[in-house]
Amino acid sequence: LRASYAEEIAALVRYFVRRENIPAKGIALVTQNDSFGDSGFHGARLALVEYGVSESSILRIGVERNSVEVGDAVRSLTSDP
């Protein structure tokens, strides 16, 4: 028996906010473009909403499964809007 991907990611978000003092509004997600990424995003979304983050403001960047091509995702996170 194990937690779902959604439950695991929700727990990580709560840990980052409560223990590491990372502002919930400062959390972005890089997820796989598949059902695993969708499940993880669902868990993160539920946890972030608990901290008052609106669903529309959650930054999600997708990457292809099993790809090491994540440069565009990193640039998206580190560039100025």
Side-chain angles (χ1 to χ4, degrees):
L1 183 68
R2 64 169 292 258
S4 69
Y5 290 113
E7 291 167 331
E8 288 179 355
I9 301 302
L12 281 171
V13 167
R14 291 181 189 108
Y15 172 82
F16 290 141
V17 172
R18 293 178 186 163
R19 302 290 182 153
E20 298 298 324
N21 298 313
I22 295 172
K25 291 180 181 180
I27 294 175
L29 300 142
V30 177
T31 64
Q32 293 180 164
N33 290 330
D34 62 13
S35 60
F36 295 110
D38 292 343
S39 181
F41 178 74
H42 174 71
R45 181 174 43 97
L46 291 175
L48 289 169
V49 167
E50 289 175 13
Y51 292 106
V53 178
S54 69
E55 289 187 37
S56 63
S57 68
I58 299 171
L59 177 59
R60 179 185 184 183
I61 300 167
V63 296
E64 292 308 309
R65 185 177 192 173
N66 297 324
S67 174
V68 295
E69 300 297 325
V70 297
D72 288 342
V74 172
R75 282 186 285 284
S76 295
L77 292 171
T78 58
S79 65
D80 289 328

